[in-house]
Amino acid sequence: MTAYLLKRLAIAVATLVLASMVVFAVLEIIPGDPARLMLGMNASAEQVELLRNQMGLNTPLALRYLHWASGLLSLDFGRSYTYSVPVIDLVRERVVVSLPLALIALALSTLIAIPVGLFSAGRRGRAGDTIAMGAAQLGVAVPNFWFALMLIYLFAVWLRLVPSGGFPGWSVGVWPALKALVLPAIALALPQAAILARVTRSALIEVLNEDYIRTARAKGLPYRAVLWRHALRNAMIPVLTILGLQFAFLLAGTIIIENVFYLPGLGRLVFQAITQRDLIVVESVVMLLVAAVIIVNLLVDLSYAIVDPRLRSRQ
Amino acid sequence: MKLWKTILAAAALALATGASAFAARTDLVIGIPLEPPHLDPTAGAAAAIDEVLYANVFEGLTRIGQNGEVLPDLAESWTISDDGKVYVFKLHTGVKFHDGTDFNADDVKFSLDRARADNSVNAQKGLFAAIDKVEVVDSATVKVTLKNPQGSFLYNMGWGDAVIVAPETAGTNKEKPIGTGPFKFQSWAKGSSITLVKSDNYWGTPVSLDKAEFRIVPDAAAAVPALLSGDVQAFPFFDPDSVAQAQGDPRFKVVIGATEGETILAINNKKPPFDKLQVRQAISFALDRKAIIDGASAGLGVPIGSHMSPANKDYVDLTGLYPHNVDKAKELLKEAGLENGFKATLKLPPPSYARLGGEIIASQLRDVGIDLEIIPVEWAQWLDQVFTKKDYDLTIVSHTEPNDIDIYSRKDYYFNYDNPAFDKIIAELNLTSDEAKRKTLLGEAQKILADDAVVGFLYELPKVGVWDAKLQGLWENAPIQANDLTKVKWTD
C-alpha cells in the first residue's frame, strides 16, 4: 500500500513539473501583448515599452519561468497584470463560488444517477429501463446552456423563485447565496447525471452476469440485497472513475454555464485572463487546477482500494 | 376551479400592491458586458472603466455632455488668452474628495502633471501633449499654458483620462477609487458587480439615486432574462440582435442613440494592390452599406462616407461618393490591371459587427472578383498582428474614440496612409480654436479621406439602450463611453 502510494505521488509531482513548463511555454507563444492591450490603440510605442518594463515583461523567458516556478513552490502565485492584486486573492474569491457549485452539482448528479442506474439495470430491457435510458440519452444530447436558459425562463423570469443569474456573495447569508447556485447546479448536474446513470447501468449489468451473483441468489439472498451489497459495490470502479473526471470538469470547465448565469467562477476568471493576456493569472490558475485534478485522481485511486479490497492486498 | 381563480386573483392583487410600495425606489442595477480591469480612468484604455466611474465617481475640469458638448465641471469658468495659449480655470470651492480631504488647485496641477510625465502610462497621453506648464495661481485658480494653441483643449480635458485625482490616493485608485463625484465607491465583488453609493458631501446638485450597482453580464443570452426578471433594470449597451424581445414590451424602453464609433473596413494602404487608388475605390463601390448594416447590426446604424459621426456638428455627408455599383468597381479593377480579380485576407476581431459584417463584405467583394480569406482573431491578436505589426490586408473595426479623424495623420498608424495634404490640414486644425474655421478644416479633412478611399467607410455604430420604462435620465447617445447617472431617477 505504501509503495503504491509513493509511486502515485511521484507520478503526481512529475506531472506538475511538466505541466508548469507546457503551460508557461504555450502562453508565451500565443500572440498578443498584455501592455498594448491595457493601453489601447491611442498609446504610443514608447509608452507600451515603458509599461512592459514596469510589468517585467522584458526580462528573458527562462528567468521569468524560474521566478514564477520558484514562487509557486513557496505558494506565491504572483500578481495579476490587469487587476494588480495577488493572484491568490482572485482565486480565493472565485473558489467560494466554483467549489460549492461543483460539489452541489456532483451531489445532485450522483443522487440522481445511482438510483436510476440501479432501477434500469434491475429492469433491463423492460419498459422502465427503456424510458429511463431514453431520458438519459436526451440528457446527454441536450446542450447544457440551452437547458440552463430554459430553467432561467421557467424559474426566474416566469415563476420568479430564484434570481436569473449573478452571485450576491456569501456575506449576504447562506440562503440567498445558495439560491443563486440552485439553477446552475441543476443545469450542470443533469447532463452529468445522464452520463453517470448510463455508466452505472452498464457496469451493473456486467456484474450481474458474474457467477458470484448467481451464487448469492442461489444461497437464498433476496434480489434487492444482492443488487445493493454485491453488485453495486463491484460496479463502483467505473462509476468512481467517471465521478473523478466529472469533478475536475465541474471545477473549471463550466465557463459556458458561468456565462449564462454570469457567475464569478474560476472558469470565467481563466477565460477573462486569456482574452486580456493576463498571463500570470492564466498560468497560476491553470497550475492550481492541474494540482486539483491530480489530487482528485489520487483520491479516486485510493477509493478504488477502499471499494475493492483485492487492490489493497495486491499492491 | 373557482378556488384557484380566487387564489390567483389574491396573489395578483398582492403582487400589484407590493409593486406600488416600491414606486419611489432609489436603487438601480445596471448591466455592463465587460468588467473593468481596475477602477482608475487615468491608467487604462478599457472603456469599461469609464462606463462605471466617469461623471459618477470622478470629475474633470470640464466634462462631456450626452450630445458631445463641453460643459464646466470642477472648473466653474475659464478665460482664454487672445493667442489661444493660456487658459485660466476658476475652480469650484468647497469641493471635497470622498475621503474627506479638500480639493484645490494643487490637485489639478498634480493630476495634469502626472498624466503628461515621462513615466506616465496614461492611455491617452496625447490629450496632454500640448501642455507646456501648469501653475497654481491661488487655491481656486489654475493657469495652464500651452506650447501652441489647441482647438480641442477644453474637450480633451473632459475625457475620463483627464479626471482630477488627489496625490494621496492616486496610487490606490485602481482598487479603491477616490474622486470628487456625486457617487462614491462602495465595493467591488470581482467578476460580479461594482457598487456605488450617494456621496453625502457632494459640492453640486445631489443625485436622486442612493445606490447604483453595475452588474457584469457578459452574455447577450443572459441579458434578456436578467432584464425580463427585473434583476437588472438597465442595459445602456444592449446587443442589437436581442433587442426585439424587449421592443414590444411596455415595461421597457428601447432607445437607439448615436456613438462615436466609426465602423470601417480598414485597408493596409501600403500593401499591393491596395496601394493603388483604383483598387481602394473599387472596394468602396463594391460595398453595399445597407446590406452590411442589416446583417451586422440588426438594421440599426447610420451609413458614413468618411471618418466622422453623423451626430457631430461638423459632419459632412459623403455617403453619395461611392454608391453601391458592381460594374463601376469591376471597371476600376480593370484600370488597375486586375480584371481577373485577386486574393486577400480579412482579419476579424471578436465583436459581432466585425464577425457578421465580415462575411457579408467578403461576399460583396467576391461579386467584383476579390476573393477574401476570412481569419477570425481575438483582440489581443488583433492588437498585436494588425495594429502593431501591420500584418494584414483588410480588417473590420470600430474606432470609438470621439473626434479622432487625426488618426489618419499619425505616423506609423496601422492604415499605412501617408498624405502630406491631409497632415497639413490636421496640423492647422490643432492650432485653430475658431469654430467656423474648424468646421471648414474638418470638412476638408473628411473630403480628402473619402476621395482617397483610405478605408471602406461603413456605418456609425448605434448605441442600443434598454431600460425600465419608469427610469429617466440615462444617456441616449454615447459621445464618450460612459454611463452618467447624475440625472437618473425613478418616476411613477
Side-chain angles (χ1 to χ4, degrees):
Chain A
M1 188 69 188
T2 340
Y4 173 73
L5 252 182
L6 281 177
K7 198 176 143 200
R8 291 273 127 198
L9 270 176
I11 293 174
V13 171
T15 316
L16 272 175
V17 173
L18 211 70
S20 76
M21 287 175 181
V22 173
V23 166
F24 198 84
V26 166
L27 281 171
E28 292 300 327
I29 290 167
I30 56 168
D33 178 356
R36 167 59 75 183
L37 211 60
M38 280 166 83
L39 288 175
M41 287 158 63
N42 259 0
S44 65
E46 297 81 56
Q47 260 188 294
V48 173
E49 203 50 32
L50 190 74
L51 187 63
R52 281 185 65 86
N53 277 330
Q54 284 183 13
M55 289 160 79
L57 282 168
N58 283 337
T59 38
L61 187 67
L63 255 167
R64 266 191 295 144
Y65 173 75
L66 284 179
H67 182 77
W68 172 67
S70 60
L72 288 187
L73 285 181
S74 53
L75 293 182
D76 170 12
F77 296 91
R79 281 179 91 82
S80 155
Y81 294 155
T82 36
Y83 290 119
S84 53
V85 294
V87 175
I88 195 69
D89 290 357
L90 292 175
V91 172
R92 206 175 291 138
E93 283 165 7
R94 305 302 176 105
V95 162
V96 299
V97 181
S98 283
L99 194 64
L101 179 61
L103 289 173
I104 298 171
L106 198 71
L108 264 177
S109 144
T110 317
L111 285 177
I112 299 169
I114 306 282
V116 170
L118 276 167
F119 171 86
S120 268
R123 286 169 190 69
R124 190 177 168 195
R126 285 195 268 158
D129 176 35
T130 314
I131 292 168
M133 284 304 113
Q137 189 63 54
L138 205 67
V140 176
V142 169
N144 61 4
F145 64 87
W146 181 84
F147 188 61
L149 281 173
M150 293 304 112
L151 287 175
I152 294 174
Y153 277 105
L154 180 60
F155 291 104
V157 175
W158 200 51
L159 295 173
R160 303 220 169 178
L161 292 174
V162 286
S164 64
F167 186 72
W170 292 101
S171 55
V172 299
V174 174
W175 178 233
L178 275 181
K179 242 167 93 173
L181 294 182
V182 170
L183 289 190
I186 296 176
L188 282 171
L190 282 187
Q192 306 281 1
I195 298 169
L196 202 59
R198 293 179 66 83
V199 171
T200 311
R201 174 182 175 270
S202 51
L204 273 171
I205 285 172
E206 203 172 303
V207 171
L208 285 173
N209 288 331
E210 296 283 340
D211 291 341
Y212 58 82
I213 298 292
R214 202 176 327 119
T215 314
R217 288 286 281 149
K219 77 176 181 191
L221 268 182
Y223 182 70
R224 192 168 289 265
V226 173
L227 199 61
W228 282 89
R229 286 249 305 278
H230 295 269
L232 185 59
R233 185 157 184 178
N234 278 296
M236 271 324 267
I237 290 209
V239 173
L240 282 171
T241 310
I242 298 288
L243 265 178
L245 289 174
Q246 291 191 341
F247 185 67
F249 164 79
L250 286 172
L251 256 188
T254 57
I255 166 78
I256 295 173
I257 290 295
E258 281 175 20
N259 253 341
V260 173
F261 289 98
Y262 45 104
L263 290 173
L266 275 177
R268 235 178 80 203
L269 176 67
V270 176
F271 181 74
Q272 240 176 0
I274 292 173
T275 55
Q276 291 170 339
R277 288 296 182 274
D278 197 345
L279 303 179
I280 200 92
V281 170
V282 185
E283 287 159 358
S284 295
V285 175
V286 169
M287 280 314 292
L288 278 173
L289 291 171
V290 170
V293 170
I294 288 174
I295 290 169
V296 169
N297 279 346
L298 256 168
L299 290 177
V300 170
D301 283 348
L302 284 179
S303 69
Y304 290 163
I306 294 167
V307 293
D308 190 344
R310 285 170 306 177
L311 280 177
R312 258 174 283 174
S313 48
R314 207 189 294 156
Q315 302 306 328
Chain B
M1 192 63 202
K2 210 171 173 193
L3 181 70
W4 272 113
K5 273 188 181 158
T6 321
I7 292 173
L8 272 176
L13 196 70
L15 271 174
T17 48
S20 68
F22 291 111
R25 62 190 291 185
T26 55
D27 63 317
L28 175 63
V29 181
I30 303 144
I32 52 172
L34 289 173
E35 176 167 40
H38 58 76
L39 303 178
D40 184 355
T42 67
I49 304 173
D50 284 340
E51 282 172 18
V52 174
L53 300 158
Y54 186 80
N56 300 329
V57 172
F58 286 108
E59 298 176 309
L61 287 173
T62 61
R63 53 163 298 174
I64 312 298
Q66 80 146 312
N67 295 312
E69 68 278 22
V70 178
L71 303 168
D73 204 9
L74 285 171
E76 83 187 353
S77 63
W78 49 81
T79 56
I80 308 170
S81 67
D82 290 339
D83 64 357
K85 277 163 69 168
V86 182
Y87 285 73
V88 177
F89 292 96
K90 189 95 195 86
L91 307 176
H92 279 283
T93 49
V95 178
K96 280 186 189 305
F97 282 99
H98 298 142
D99 61 355
T101 55
D102 287 322
F103 155 87
N104 61 37
D106 291 324
D107 298 306
V108 176
K109 179 173 167 53
F110 167 79
S111 300
L112 297 185
D113 284 347
R114 172 174 172 262
R116 64 199 187 91
D118 285 341
N119 63 353
S120 155
V121 288
N122 191 301
Q124 310 291 347
K125 208 176 162 185
L127 296 176
F128 312 92
I131 299 179
D132 183 34
K133 56 179 191 262
V134 184
E135 291 160 289
V136 174
V137 177
D138 60 56
S139 72
T141 316
V142 176
K143 185 170 135 192
V144 180
T145 311
L146 305 183
K147 294 173 190 146
N148 45 262
Q150 188 185 37
S152 55
F153 182 66
L154 288 173
Y155 189 93
N156 290 355
M157 292 302 103
W159 281 54
D161 307 79
V163 295
I164 305 303
V165 297
E168 305 84 36
T169 48
T172 50
N173 278 342
K174 281 187 173 182
E175 280 295 298
K176 193 176 184 309
I178 300 284
T180 55
F183 289 95
K184 62 182 176 191
F185 168 77
Q186 188 185 46
S187 63
W188 181 9
K190 294 238 168 62
S192 192
S193 69
I194 296 164
T195 307
L196 311 179
V197 290
K198 186 178 185 167
S199 166
D200 298 324
N201 56 10
Y202 184 55
W203 59 273
T205 323
V207 286
S208 306
L209 295 176
D210 284 332
K211 187 175 157 193
E213 180 188 337
F214 289 87
R215 199 171 288 175
I216 297 124
V217 184
D219 198 293
V224 176
L227 190 75
L228 294 179
S229 67
D231 289 344
V232 176
Q233 297 104 38
F235 282 95
F237 298 92
F238 204 68
D239 173 36
D241 286 322
S242 310
V243 82
Q245 274 170 284
Q247 230 147 11
D249 197 324
R251 289 176 296 168
F252 306 110
K253 225 180 333 196
V254 176
V255 182
I256 316 288
T259 68
E260 281 286 333
E262 288 83 22
T263 311
I264 57 170
L265 173 69
I267 302 174
N268 193 342
N269 276 248
K270 280 223 176 85
K271 190 161 177 186
F274 303 108
D275 53 343
K276 290 202 177 88
L277 177 62
Q278 292 104 317
V279 174
R280 298 198 303 269
Q281 286 178 329
I283 291 174
S284 292
F285 276 119
L287 296 172
D288 178 358
R289 295 193 188 91
K290 177 152 189 333
I292 297 166
I293 294 169
D294 284 348
S297 209
L300 308 166
V302 186
I304 52 171
S306 189
H307 200 90
M308 181 71 72
S309 163
N312 196 301
K313 59 185 186 331
D314 298 321
Y315 171 76
V316 180
D317 186 357
L318 295 162
T319 47
L321 200 56
Y322 304 105
H324 178 52
N325 187 336
V326 174
D327 296 332
K328 188 91 181 94
K330 283 184 177 159
E331 208 175 287
L332 282 161
L333 283 179
K334 201 170 171 188
E335 272 177 43
L338 290 161
E339 59 264 53
N340 297 324
F342 62 93
K343 280 187 197 307
T345 60
L346 174 61
K347 289 192 172 165
L348 301 176
S352 63
Y353 66 71
R355 292 278 165 91
L356 297 174
E359 303 201 357
I360 298 164
I361 286 173
S363 104
Q364 290 175 358
L365 293 192
R366 198 174 302 124
D367 291 343
V368 303
I370 304 172
D371 191 10
L372 292 184
E373 182 200 346
I374 290 180
I375 306 174
V377 293
E378 9 150 35
W379 269 125
Q381 276 175 303
W382 188 90
L383 281 171
D384 191 51
Q385 299 175 355
V386 178
F387 188 77
T388 310
K389 300 197 177 116
K390 303 171 201 68
D391 172 21
Y392 78 106
D393 297 335
L394 300 169
T395 185
I396 299 175
V397 73
S398 198
H399 279 262
T400 52
E401 264 95 20
N403 299 327
D404 58 352
I405 196 165
D406 68 295
I407 56 177
Y408 293 84
S409 73
R410 284 188 201 168
K411 292 294 148 246
D412 222 23
Y413 206 65
Y414 77 108
F415 304 136
N416 270 330
Y417 173 65
D418 188 12
N419 181 347
F422 182 79
D423 296 351
K424 212 174 133 236
I425 290 178
I426 295 298
E428 202 182 332
L429 184 71
N430 281 340
L431 303 177
T432 310
S433 36
D434 179 62
E435 287 295 325
K437 189 119 185 286
R438 282 182 70 83
K439 193 179 175 71
T440 319
L441 288 168
L442 280 166
E444 281 174 44
Q446 291 172 64
K447 186 94 185 21
I448 293 179
L449 294 183
D451 285 340
D452 275 351
V454 184
V455 300
F457 295 104
L458 303 176
Y459 64 97
E460 200 68 19
L461 214 59
K463 175 186 180 297
V464 181
V466 179
W467 49 80
D468 195 300
K470 293 209 263 319
L471 208 54
Q472 266 186 359
L474 277 160
W475 276 13
E476 280 178 29
N477 300 321
I480 49 170
Q481 300 263 7
N483 291 311
D484 176 353
L485 302 180
T486 52
K487 302 274 187 296
V488 175
K489 63 173 182 205
W490 287 96
T491 58
D492 291 314

